[in-house]
Amino acid sequence: MEILIQLSLSLVGGLLLSRLAKKLNLPAVTAYLIAGLLLGPYCIGALQLFSLGFSSAAEVESLNIISQVALGFIAFTIGNEFRLEQLRHMGRQAITVGILQAVITAILVDLALVVLHFINPTVISIPSAITLGAIAAATAPAATLMVVRQYKADGPLTRLLLLVVAIDDAVGLVLFSASFGVAAALESGAISLTTVLVEPLVEIVLSLGLGALAGWLLFRVEKYFYSRSKRLSISIGFVLLTVGLSMAEFEVGGIHCGFSLLLVCMMTGTVFCNICDFSEELMGRVDSWTAPVFVLFFVLSGAELNLKVLSNPLVLLIGAVYILSRSLGKYVGAYWSCALTSCDNKIKQHLGVTLLPQAGVALGMALTAQQLSDGEIVRSVVLFSVLVYELVGPALTKRSLIAAGEIQEEGRTNARQKNQPRKPVKLSK
């Protein structure tokens, strides 16, 4: 009973707050996150009132399966952007920008935090600085996708953004695995090539392979059904299957093998949309089904944000350096890589800002980084940055897409139709 009441309050509260956000010209995703903060253990939840909010972080974590499912559908939707005709036009640009902006961001954050270490070695260690640099490369696809969907954004910047965000996950995984391996080696005095190079590459290959197989099987199974509702049910079932399988871990010959949920589900969507002639219509129906799941995902994400990190001056100092250097890295990295690939000026000026949101992937990396001697500082800094980026990032993404001319002035339209600007009223003579 308590869980159902909490989920109901999360869903209804988030949607009601989104009406206020609209009046303030803020994206709905920001309202969902704030609703989560209000219902979380540091606000209404702290009152310990029966089922009104989440009284502890453990209560929020117990609903983690909803967040995993939501991330699976988000990745599946983004995979739909990797259509062959689109890759022929933007594939080289997306790969180049996706890799370079992530690497440049990691380098700038590394440099800033290493300089901070040499100024005062007690603030942060070299291993933690290197690890935070790799975590900085990660971008949250969920907030970006929600802003794009809410405002029906479309254009060269939007299409490139969705491709870059997808590629960013694979690049971030490699950078983090390599950096964390080096950081662990600096602390232990022994480096492992298996941990630094082999395991991240194995994870990427296994994830892409599992996703490709799932996408092909989904297409084969869908062909046996003609009802729209049954095809929708099959699609939902396969995404749930890929989310479940991506949680599997095993060891082969001393090599730890696992999967990336985002990569598996992205590849499933990519393969399916490229071999299925009715995938466009089906993806639209999946999007409408997942709307409440996404609202719950962001409300729960807001409830997870730990406000205690704001009471630690050391975390605030490192967090400020991290946020400033990461923001600079994303902007400069995106601008320079877009210039290198001859992108339009609007894309060069605005892509970097749309890559600022950071959440689930970074938090997952931070949990792994806790194994370092001062790993708790790494996790606290990432929690602080997620708090800032998730609340500010969606609004900045919206502003950039408006400035690029890819979001039209809002009008009163059916939610299923493309947003059309209001027509001026002609005054009668």
Side-chain angles (χ1 to χ4, degrees), residues 151-401:
Y151 297 104
K152 313 296 188 294
D154 189 30
L157 172 59
T158 301
R159 290 191 285 270
L160 180 62
L161 169 62
L162 292 176
L163 293 175
V164 169
V165 166
I167 294 168
D168 191 82
D169 183 52
V171 179
L173 176 65
V174 173
L175 288 175
F176 176 75
S177 297
S179 297
F180 182 68
V182 171
L186 289 174
E187 287 196 344
S188 65
I191 192 167
S192 170
L193 290 178
T194 299
T195 304
V196 174
L197 294 176
V198 178
E199 289 185 356
L201 293 177
V202 168
E203 182 170 336
I204 291 173
V205 171
L206 287 177
S207 299
L208 296 179
L210 177 60
L213 177 61
W216 179 79
L217 287 175
L218 173 58
F219 169 64
R220 301 300 300 177
V221 174
E222 293 277 15
K223 292 182 71 175
Y224 289 104
F225 299 91
Y226 301 96
S227 164
R228 291 180 176 181
S229 60
K230 289 179 180 177
R231 282 180 168 175
L232 173 63
S233 299
I234 291 294
S235 300
I236 293 170
F238 260 81
V239 175
L240 294 177
L241 176 64
T242 53
V243 170
L245 291 176
S246 66
M247 297 177 182
E249 295 182 358
F250 54 94
E251 195 168 299
V252 177
I255 298 175
H256 178 265
C257 301
F259 301 93
S260 164
L261 183 152
L262 290 175
L263 284 181
V264 172
C265 294
M266 276 181 204
M267 194 62 179
T268 302
T270 299
V271 172
F272 178 68
C273 76
N274 279 290
I275 64 177
C276 179
D277 55 358
F278 53 82
S279 64
E280 198 73 69
E281 186 227 348
L282 191 56
M283 294 295 281
R285 294 177 69 81
V286 170
D287 287 346
S288 63
W289 183 88
T290 55
V293 179
F294 289 170
V295 174
L296 286 175
F297 168 72
F298 284 105
V299 173
L300 292 174
S301 296
E304 282 183 321
L305 296 176
N306 188 350
L307 297 184
K308 284 184 178 179
V309 298
L310 299 178
S311 63
N312 188 337
L314 185 61
V315 170
L316 296 181
L317 170 63
I318 302 172
V321 174
Y322 174 88
I323 290 171
L324 290 174
S325 56
R326 180 179 181 271
S327 301
L328 179 64
K330 286 292 180 183
Y331 185 82
V332 172
Y335 189 96
W336 184 74
S337 55
C338 284
L340 189 66
T341 54
S342 304
C343 290
D344 183 82
N345 280 332
K346 286 184 178 179
I347 297 178
K348 286 192 293 186
Q349 293 169 6
H350 300 294
L351 180 64
V353 176
T354 63
L355 295 172
L356 291 180
Q358 190 173 45
V361 177
L363 289 173
M365 293 176 177
L367 284 174
T368 303
Q370 280 188 290
Q371 300 172 29
L372 298 173
S373 57
D374 57 348
E376 191 58 40
I377 285 291
V378 174
R379 184 170 182 271
S380 297
V381 169
V382 173
L383 283 170
F384 173 56
S385 71
V386 166
L387 176 65
V388 174
Y389 280 127
E390 282 297 90
L391 294 176
V392 177
L396 293 177
T397 298
K398 177 191 173 184
R399 286 190 60 185
S400 295
L401 292 174

Side-chain angles (χ1 to χ4, degrees), residues 105-121:
T105 300
I107 291 173
L108 283 182
V109 175
D110 277 341
L111 288 174
L113 293 177
V114 167
V115 168
L116 183 62
H117 165 79
F118 283 115
I119 293 174
N120 188 347

